[in-house]
Amino acid sequence: MAASMSFSATSNVAVSLQNAILKPIPQRCKEIEEIIRSSSPKDFRTLLPSLVENIFGFGGDTGWNLDVISKTHFHHDFDAIRQFLGPEGPLLTLIYNLQTDPYLTYEFPFKCLPAPTRHQIEEKSLPMFYVNKIQLQSTGQPTLALTAFEYYLFHFAYALVNPLWQEKGPHWNNLNETAYPALLEDYMQYFLPLKKMTLPKFPQSHFPNHSPRGHQHNSKTRGSTGKTPSWPRTRMGLLKASLISAQKPHSQNSPVSEKAEAEIWWSETLVQVLAEFWLNQNSLDMDKSSMNNSSLMHTSRYGEPSKADTFFSLFDHFVPSNNHVRLCRMFIKHIHHFVNSAGLEVISPYQTQETTPLNEFKRSLIPQHLQKKIYAFLQHSFAKWPLDFSFRLIMETWLTYIQPWRYTNISPTVKAGRDQEVKEVVADSWFPFIRDNLLFYSTLFQQFLNRTAKLDLTSIYNANMVYRVSKVFNLSNLSDLLQEVERMLCSSSLRQSPGTLGGSYLSKEFRSQELSVVLNVQIVDLERPGFTYTNMFGPVTVKEVKQLLNQIAAAKAAVTIVKPVQSVKKSGWASFLDFSSLFKDASFGDLSESESKKLLQYLEQAVTNICNTFNLSPPLEPIPPSPKSVHSSIYPELEDPDDISLYDNDMLSPSTPDCVRTDEGLKLTPLGRYQLMNGLKKFDIGLQCDPDLQPIRSFENAALIRILHRVSSFINTNVQLAFLSQLLFNLQYYNIWS
């Protein structure tokens, strides 16, 4: 009798929920909130998956369009969603209550996991995060059994990498104005607070990572046999993880430790899920051939392969969208702020004497959960991102991670004016962070040099990227700290420093051999097998830096000899019918005089920064900047002494690309082709005919021109006849009187 009543109540809630979902978003959120308040959490045990999938879109459904709803255009929808899905909203309050049931789990499709994770699980190498979460179905396929809170976060994080969102690709101009990024900000502020020394309190819940599931009678496990495979755990940072765990002030089984871990579990789960779906889509140590042979195609619960399967089967590499990269940078910035908000007993965020469990969590957050995934994300993006200006998103994410000292103050800092730029100094207290993230500075900088060699630095956007990177690496004391880390790596020499440095955030005390071992272990842990470290200040990198300086000098010379092309001003009817300004080419080569000066300023400052960082002398520039010298610096192997440049010939305009006279006419030189392709110069196109009879151009109104031509022709013809008649009359009159 009781079971029948429970089923009837669940059916009524399901019908009410289905009717509410069909309403507009403000009314929908209000009605669902009333249903949640008037119902028992037990009624939503079986309804939660359908509701969550309907919100974020799954199985071909677009969901509530959280990536489209903006505060500017859909103000009421934006506010309703932010209140309903907020960390203290009705839905997450329901999820917190469902989390208290230790036997309640929900299935998440295995095919939606990142490709590296699927590969590890198929190879029987279970990541630590998935311990006690993987179960085998009756068909032998693995599936995930998640708690209510984990299930919600998995769908929230997966929505960003869902192929449906990737295909729509709305451009988020302001992250705070769109529903999905606004929810991310709310979650990070709540679960990773910056101004609070304690985490939010939650009901006593079941935490799968701390106590294994002893029972498998599951109220929501679709098609699961309840079998948990005994797969081995993977290593977690090798020596680095063991050093972190060795610092814990409480024993693993103490009541204080259990209580602290229970409080931290919510925040740790949020960080792990976001890092798993957003930063772990590509792995450096994953074999490509095994990836192609792995079973990426699985039958979905709808009976056919999903778009996600098709997406991953067609592409070996996942390329993030621009919005994806923006949120990753937003996530990293908040993590830096969170880590740097450690308590007063901490000398610096990465050096502690006696620390609380919360500060210990902050201290170990980056090396234990994020470092390897962020490195793989940046490494893959540096190698696979298109050679265009959109790479600046990746570059800014990289620069955000390697500058944690910029995020030590929660309140916004006051920036100096352009003429009052303050020279930033990297304090010695950041030496442990730089040491433990050496590859982010050295290896990624070397990859940036490789990308820059393929770019056109006469583009103001590319020149700005080079300037931004050079400015960061020219920060005072940064190059000294990097060189000291490399000396420590090569010679195992211990850093002699004042006592304020203390120990690193990995351990309190290190001997010189242990420091060298930790550095080598970190390199092995981050990079793929067979990786050979290249010294950042060694001869190989310095040679590439010198090539970059020569490339900048050639770009400066090419920009210097270019004079702005003066457009021909039209007057009268010609100016009225001229629509060329509406179709002006906005390519990178069409630079105004102010943009050209800004471009030269970027290039000159980049040369200064790079020379200061690597203690090099500026390259010699051609004086005067003649076209022939630029031609030799860019194409030395194509230099032909018999070619006579026409720059000194008055027959051609200064805006004409460099060319030589041959028997077949004018022929572009390699420098001329370079100028023409990059929009630095162009030929003056003109017609040697009656201006009234010029062909109709594509930006002109053809019908109007034809009508006006006929009117003018009619007028001209009649005026001409009248003029001739008057002329003959005057001649006859003159003859009579003469």
Side-chain angles (χ1 to χ4, degrees):
M1 183 68 177
S4 177
M5 293 177 60
S6 176
F7 178 78
S8 177
T10 303
S11 300
N12 294 333
V13 173
V15 173
S16 302
L17 189 62
Q18 187 65 32
N19 294 332
I21 289 176
L22 302 178
K23 304 293 180 59
I25 287 182
Q27 186 178 356
R28 181 190 313 172
C29 295
K30 184 177 180 180
E31 291 188 7
I32 296 178
E33 181 178 357
E34 294 177 354
I35 295 173
I36 293 176
R37 290 180 177 178
S38 61
S39 305
S40 171
K42 295 182 179 180
D43 298 334
F44 278 88
R45 287 182 175 181
T46 58
L47 299 178
L48 181 64
S50 300
L51 178 58
V52 172
E53 292 176 6
N54 182 267
I55 293 174
F56 295 108
F58 196 76
D61 188 10
T62 57
W64 291 11
N65 293 320
L66 301 182
D67 59 330
V68 176
I69 295 177
S70 63
K71 188 175 182 180
T72 304
H73 302 91
F74 307 96
H75 177 70
H76 297 290
D77 295 355
F78 179 88
D79 293 339
I81 287 177
R82 196 166 186 179
Q83 187 274 334
F84 180 74
L85 299 179
E88 294 182 347
L91 181 59
L92 278 177
T93 302
L94 170 66
I95 291 175
Y96 301 152
N97 294 327
L98 293 176
Q99 185 74 24
T100 59
D101 189 347
Y103 310 124
L104 180 62
T105 58
Y106 300 91
E107 283 189 7
F108 186 81
F110 176 78
K111 61 184 176 60
C112 295
L113 294 179
T117 301
R118 296 201 305 265
H119 174 72
Q120 283 184 295
I121 295 175
E122 290 171 350
E123 294 294 328
K124 305 298 180 66
S125 178
L126 189 63
M128 284 291 298
F129 180 61
Y130 292 95
V131 172
N132 299 326
K133 292 183 175 67
I134 302 297
Q135 295 181 351
L136 294 178
Q137 295 178 339
S138 58
T139 59
Q141 295 292 343
T143 184
L144 270 71
L146 307 175
T147 64
F149 184 66
E150 291 173 335
Y151 182 79
Y152 178 83
L153 288 183
F154 268 58
H155 275 279
F156 175 80
Y158 174 74
L160 183 62
V161 298
N162 190 333
L164 294 176
W165 281 26
Q166 297 283 335
E167 292 173 2
K168 290 192 298 181
H171 183 72
W172 296 339
N173 295 322
N174 190 345
L175 295 180
N176 295 327
E177 295 290 328
T178 309
Y180 188 83
L183 286 174
L184 172 64
E185 178 67 23
D186 292 343
Y187 295 156
M188 291 191 301
Q189 293 289 349
Y190 188 76
F191 294 101
L192 303 171
L194 304 182
K195 299 182 180 180
K196 299 179 181 179
M197 297 310 299
T198 58
L199 295 174
K201 303 298 182 182
F202 298 97
Q204 291 294 331
S205 305
H206 169 67
F207 304 104
N209 288 347
H210 300 155
S211 57
R213 293 180 177 85
H215 305 274
Q216 297 297 337
H217 54 280
N218 194 339
S219 62
K220 190 63 180 177
T221 303
R222 306 169 183 168
S224 173
T225 61
K227 298 179 180 179
T228 302
S230 57
W231 290 337
R233 300 183 179 183
T234 57
R235 59 188 176 90
M236 185 179 59
L238 293 178
L239 179 62
K240 180 169 60 178
S242 63
L243 290 172
I244 294 174
S245 61
Q247 299 176 72
K248 294 186 178 181
H250 308 292
S251 62
Q252 294 295 325
N253 297 325
S254 66
V256 178
S257 177
E258 290 293 334
K259 182 179 179 180
E261 290 182 0
E263 294 177 354
I264 292 172
W265 180 86
W266 303 86
S267 303
E268 186 178 21
T269 301
L270 174 66
V271 173
Q272 287 179 316
V273 172
L274 296 182
E276 174 69 11
F277 280 94
W278 295 356
L279 302 173
N280 194 38
Q281 293 293 336
N282 299 284
S283 178
L284 298 180
D285 55 3
M286 183 173 57
D287 181 68
K288 184 177 180 180
S289 60
S290 61
M291 265 294 299
N292 294 336
N293 296 330
S294 63
S295 56
L296 297 180
M297 297 291 291
H298 298 282
T299 303
S300 67
R301 60 191 183 92
Y302 299 95
E304 59 183 4
S306 67
K307 290 187 177 182
D309 291 328
T310 307
F311 181 81
F312 285 114
S313 63
L314 292 177
F315 300 95
D316 293 333
H317 301 280
F318 176 88
V319 179
S321 63
N322 291 346
N323 293 335
H324 183 169
V325 180
R326 288 190 182 96
L327 289 194
C328 288
R329 183 177 180 230
M330 176 181 175
F331 176 55
I332 293 173
K333 289 172 65 176
H334 189 90
I335 290 296
H336 276 320
H337 275 303
F338 179 69
V339 172
N340 294 336
S341 65
L344 298 177
E345 75 275 12
V346 181
I347 299 176
S348 82
Y350 302 98
Q351 306 154 14
T352 61
Q353 295 176 345
E354 292 183 1
T355 179
T356 62
L358 177 58
N359 287 334
E360 177 189 328
F361 168 65
K362 295 179 180 181
R363 183 163 51 98
S364 62
L365 185 59
I366 291 179
Q368 189 171 355
H369 299 300
L370 297 176
Q371 185 186 51
K372 185 173 183 178
K373 293 178 180 179
I374 294 177
Y375 182 76
F377 174 80
L378 294 175
Q379 180 83 287
H380 179 270
S381 300
F382 271 64
K384 301 297 181 180
W385 198 270
L387 292 172
D388 55 20
F389 178 62
S390 63
F391 180 75
R392 181 171 181 176
L393 296 172
I394 298 293
M395 180 200 70
E396 293 294 346
T397 305
W398 169 45
L399 297 181
T400 297
Y401 180 79
I402 64 176
Q403 298 182 89
W405 46 83
R406 294 185 58 194
Y407 309 102
T408 56
N409 188 5
I410 301 174
S411 60
T413 57
V414 180
K415 297 182 178 180
R418 294 184 178 180
D419 299 332
Q420 301 176 352
E421 185 175 357
V422 179
K423 184 68 173 179
E424 190 174 3
V425 180
V426 180
D428 287 347
S429 58
W430 294 105
F431 175 80
F433 179 87
I434 297 173
R435 179 196 62 205
D436 298 326
N437 295 273
L438 176 61
L439 295 184
F440 286 87
Y441 296 91
S442 58
T443 304
L444 293 183
F445 178 77
Q446 292 159 4
Q447 286 210 6
F448 180 78
L449 292 177
N450 295 334
R451 286 186 60 93
T452 306
K454 305 172 186 177
L455 297 178
D456 172 25
L457 297 186
T458 59
S459 164
I460 190 172
Y461 303 100
N462 295 335
N464 177 262
M465 286 195 294
V466 176
Y467 163 71
R468 285 281 295 114
V469 174
S470 66
K471 180 181 178 181
V472 171
F473 280 87
N474 189 39
L475 294 177
S476 297
N477 200 37
L478 179 58
S479 60
D480 297 335
L481 296 176
L482 288 171
Q483 293 183 56
E484 192 161 356
V485 173
E486 290 194 333
R487 286 195 299 268
M488 180 185 300
L489 177 65
C490 298
S491 61
S492 303
S493 60
L494 181 63
R495 173 178 172 83
Q496 301 295 333
S497 58
T500 56
L501 288 178
S504 74
Y505 66 114
L506 297 179
S507 180
K508 294 182 179 180
E509 295 180 357
F510 274 114
R511 297 188 302 270
S512 95
Q513 291 183 351
E514 291 174 335
L515 284 170
S516 178
V517 169
V518 169
L519 284 174
N520 285 278
V521 167
Q522 287 171 352
I523 292 176
V524 173
D525 187 44
L526 293 179
E527 271 291 350
R528 57 174 61 90
F531 170 78
T532 302
Y533 181 78
T534 302
N535 196 312
M536 182 176 178
F537 297 91
V540 177
T541 307
V542 171
K543 181 180 178 181
E544 295 179 353
V545 170
K546 290 181 178 179
Q547 293 175 356
L548 173 61
L549 293 176
N550 293 333
Q551 184 182 359
I552 294 176
K556 289 173 58 180
V559 174
T560 304
I561 63 176
V562 176
K563 296 181 179 179
V565 180
Q566 299 293 336
S567 58
V568 179
K569 295 184 179 180
K570 299 182 180 181
S571 59
W573 286 98
S575 62
F576 176 75
L577 300 176
D578 185 17
F579 301 97
S580 59
S581 59
L582 301 177
F583 300 89
K584 184 178 180 180
D585 185 13
S587 62
F588 295 160
D590 292 339
L591 298 178
S592 63
E593 184 176 357
S594 60
E595 291 174 336
S596 299
K597 293 181 179 179
K598 194 69 175 178
L599 172 59
L600 290 175
Q601 181 180 353
Y602 285 148
L603 296 176
E604 292 171 357
Q605 191 61 44
V607 171
T608 303
N609 294 336
I610 293 173
C611 292
N612 292 339
T613 303
F614 292 89
N615 295 324
L616 299 175
S617 301
L620 298 177
E621 299 182 6
I623 303 176
S626 63
K628 206 66 177 176
S629 62
V630 179
H631 175 265
S632 301
S633 61
I634 301 179
Y635 302 98
E637 69 281 0
L638 300 177
E639 185 70 15
D640 187 358
D642 296 332
D643 290 343
I644 302 176
S645 176
L646 296 181
Y647 267 99
D648 298 331
N649 197 328
D650 295 335
M651 296 176 59
L652 297 180
S653 171
S655 62
T656 303
D658 190 28
C659 53
V660 294
R661 189 179 302 280
T662 62
D663 296 338
E664 300 177 355
L666 297 180
K667 181 179 179 181
L668 285 173
T669 63
L671 174 60
R673 287 194 295 271
Y674 176 82
Q675 296 169 339
L676 192 63
M677 292 172 59
N678 291 278
L680 301 177
K681 291 192 174 186
K682 56 185 178 181
F683 287 100
D684 294 332
I685 301 176
L687 294 174
Q688 304 296 328
C689 64
D690 186 356
D692 296 335
L693 301 179
Q694 292 182 7
I696 300 176
R697 295 172 174 82
S698 59
F699 54 83
E700 295 177 335
N701 192 324
L704 184 60
I705 289 178
R706 291 190 178 98
I707 293 174
L708 294 177
H709 178 262
R710 292 180 180 179
V711 172
S712 61
S713 299
F714 175 79
I715 294 175
N716 290 335
T717 301
N718 287 276
V719 170
Q720 183 178 9
L721 292 175
F723 175 76
L724 291 176
S725 300
Q726 185 65 32
L727 180 62
L728 292 175
F729 175 79
N730 292 337
L731 291 175
Q732 292 177 358
Y733 183 79
Y734 176 77
N735 291 333
I736 293 174
W737 283 100
S738 61

